[in-house]
PDB file of all heavy atoms in Angstrom:
ATOM      1  N   LEU A 806      18.483 -10.517  44.060  1.00  0.00           N
ATOM      2  CA  LEU A 806      19.316  -9.795  43.155  1.00  0.00           C
ATOM      3  C   LEU A 806      19.279  -8.278  43.439  1.00  0.00           C
ATOM      4  O   LEU A 806      20.258  -7.561  43.293  1.00  0.00           O
ATOM      5  CB  LEU A 806      18.760 -10.034  41.679  1.00  0.00           C
ATOM      6  CG  LEU A 806      19.102 -11.433  41.137  1.00  0.00           C
ATOM      7  CD1 LEU A 806      18.451 -11.599  39.771  1.00  0.00           C
ATOM      8  CD2 LEU A 806      20.626 -11.640  40.978  1.00  0.00           C
ATOM      9  N   ARG A 849      32.636 -17.872  62.402  1.00  0.00           N
ATOM     10  CA  ARG A 849      32.617 -19.315  62.835  1.00  0.00           C
ATOM     11  C   ARG A 849      32.437 -19.448  64.270  1.00  0.00           C
ATOM     12  O   ARG A 849      31.742 -20.343  64.743  1.00  0.00           O
ATOM     13  CB  ARG A 849      33.974 -19.947  62.387  1.00  0.00           C
ATOM     14  CG  ARG A 849      34.049 -20.178  60.818  1.00  0.00           C
ATOM     15  CD  ARG A 849      35.294 -20.962  60.496  1.00  0.00           C
ATOM     16  NE  ARG A 849      36.526 -20.157  60.641  1.00  0.00           N
ATOM     17  CZ  ARG A 849      37.750 -20.568  60.439  1.00  0.00           C
ATOM     18  NH1 ARG A 849      37.899 -21.834  60.099  1.00  0.00           N
ATOM     19  NH2 ARG A 849      38.740 -19.775  60.576  1.00  0.00           N
ATOM     20  N   ALA A 867      19.724 -18.816  71.617  1.00  0.00           N
ATOM     21  CA  ALA A 867      19.910 -19.307  70.267  1.00  0.00           C
ATOM     22  C   ALA A 867      19.314 -18.298  69.266  1.00  0.00           C
ATOM     23  O   ALA A 867      19.919 -18.031  68.227  1.00  0.00           O
ATOM     24  CB  ALA A 867      19.278 -20.675  70.061  1.00  0.00           C
ATOM     25  N   ARG A 879      24.743  -9.982  56.571  1.00  0.00           N
ATOM     26  CA  ARG A 879      24.297  -8.773  55.797  1.00  0.00           C
ATOM     27  C   ARG A 879      25.358  -7.808  55.660  1.00  0.00           C
ATOM     28  O   ARG A 879      25.444  -7.114  54.631  1.00  0.00           O
ATOM     29  CB  ARG A 879      23.073  -8.196  56.470  1.00  0.00           C
ATOM     30  CG  ARG A 879      21.748  -9.110  56.258  1.00  0.00           C
ATOM     31  CD  ARG A 879      20.498  -8.225  56.726  1.00  0.00           C
ATOM     32  NE  ARG A 879      20.621  -7.814  58.058  1.00  0.00           N
ATOM     33  CZ  ARG A 879      20.074  -8.470  59.073  1.00  0.00           C
ATOM     34  NH1 ARG A 879      19.389  -9.636  58.811  1.00  0.00           N
ATOM     35  NH2 ARG A 879      20.156  -8.004  60.306  1.00  0.00           N
ATOM     36  N   PRO A 883      29.326 -11.693  50.600  1.00  0.00           N
ATOM     37  CA  PRO A 883      30.439 -12.363  50.045  1.00  0.00           C
ATOM     38  C   PRO A 883      30.627 -12.191  48.542  1.00  0.00           C
ATOM     39  O   PRO A 883      31.222 -12.987  47.876  1.00  0.00           O
ATOM     40  CB  PRO A 883      30.090 -13.868  50.389  1.00  0.00           C
ATOM     41  CG  PRO A 883      28.638 -13.913  50.316  1.00  0.00           C
ATOM     42  CD  PRO A 883      28.153 -12.616  50.861  1.00  0.00           C
ATOM     43  N   TRP A 886      31.660  -5.965  44.357  1.00  0.00           N
ATOM     44  CA  TRP A 886      31.563  -5.283  43.079  1.00  0.00           C
ATOM     45  C   TRP A 886      32.352  -3.920  43.242  1.00  0.00           C
ATOM     46  O   TRP A 886      31.981  -3.074  44.019  1.00  0.00           O
ATOM     47  CB  TRP A 886      30.078  -5.012  42.740  1.00  0.00           C
ATOM     48  CG  TRP A 886      29.806  -4.332  41.457  1.00  0.00           C
ATOM     49  CD1 TRP A 886      30.654  -4.175  40.403  1.00  0.00           C
ATOM     50  CD2 TRP A 886      28.607  -3.680  41.130  1.00  0.00           C
ATOM     51  NE1 TRP A 886      30.058  -3.505  39.404  1.00  0.00           N
ATOM     52  CE2 TRP A 886      28.816  -3.219  39.736  1.00  0.00           C
ATOM     53  CE3 TRP A 886      27.316  -3.535  41.682  1.00  0.00           C
ATOM     54  CZ2 TRP A 886      27.821  -2.567  39.062  1.00  0.00           C
ATOM     55  CZ3 TRP A 886      26.327  -2.877  40.975  1.00  0.00           C
ATOM     56  CH2 TRP A 886      26.551  -2.390  39.725  1.00  0.00           C
ATOM     57  N   GLY A 939      57.394   5.530  55.413  1.00  0.00           N
ATOM     58  CA  GLY A 939      56.005   5.287  55.977  1.00  0.00           C
ATOM     59  C   GLY A 939      55.143   4.562  54.897  1.00  0.00           C
ATOM     60  O   GLY A 939      55.665   4.330  53.833  1.00  0.00           O
ATOM     61  N   LEU A 982      32.020  -4.183  31.353  1.00  0.00           N
ATOM     62  CA  LEU A 982      32.308  -2.964  30.516  1.00  0.00           C
ATOM     63  C   LEU A 982      31.057  -2.413  29.991  1.00  0.00           C
ATOM     64  O   LEU A 982      30.161  -3.106  29.403  1.00  0.00           O
ATOM     65  CB  LEU A 982      33.228  -3.409  29.282  1.00  0.00           C
ATOM     66  CG  LEU A 982      33.379  -2.334  28.221  1.00  0.00           C
ATOM     67  CD1 LEU A 982      34.093  -1.087  28.723  1.00  0.00           C
ATOM     68  CD2 LEU A 982      34.165  -2.909  27.048  1.00  0.00           C
ATOM     69  N   SER A 999      34.183  10.632  24.199  1.00  0.00           N
ATOM     70  CA  SER A 999      33.508  11.343  25.282  1.00  0.00           C
ATOM     71  C   SER A 999      32.252  12.004  24.782  1.00  0.00           C
ATOM     72  O   SER A 999      32.161  12.405  23.613  1.00  0.00           O
ATOM     73  CB  SER A 999      34.462  12.360  25.976  1.00  0.00           C
ATOM     74  OG  SER A 999      33.772  13.169  26.834  1.00  0.00           O
ATOM     75  N   SER A1017      37.395  36.986  28.542  1.00  0.00           N
ATOM     76  CA  SER A1017      37.793  38.358  28.094  1.00  0.00           C
ATOM     77  C   SER A1017      36.955  39.414  28.635  1.00  0.00           C
ATOM     78  O   SER A1017      37.397  40.497  28.964  1.00  0.00           O
ATOM     79  CB  SER A1017      37.782  38.294  26.513  1.00  0.00           C
ATOM     80  OG  SER A1017      38.704  37.364  26.015  1.00  0.00           O
ATOM     81  N   GLY A1059      37.499  57.124  51.189  1.00  0.00           N
ATOM     82  CA  GLY A1059      36.924  57.456  52.370  1.00  0.00           C
ATOM     83  C   GLY A1059      37.492  58.777  53.032  1.00  0.00           C
ATOM     84  O   GLY A1059      37.043  59.202  54.105  1.00  0.00           O
ATOM     85  N   PRO A1077      36.425  50.265  27.540  1.00  0.00           N
ATOM     86  CA  PRO A1077      36.168  49.961  26.159  1.00  0.00           C
ATOM     87  C   PRO A1077      34.876  49.232  26.007  1.00  0.00           C
ATOM     88  O   PRO A1077      34.514  48.386  26.829  1.00  0.00           O
ATOM     89  CB  PRO A1077      37.310  49.039  25.798  1.00  0.00           C
ATOM     90  CG  PRO A1077      38.464  49.400  26.764  1.00  0.00           C
ATOM     91  CD  PRO A1077      37.716  49.731  28.068  1.00  0.00           C
TER      92      PRO A1077
END
Side-chain angles (χ1 to χ4, degrees):
L806 288 172
R849 285 185 290 177
R879 286 194 299 268
W886 182 14
L982 170 63
S999 170
S1017 299

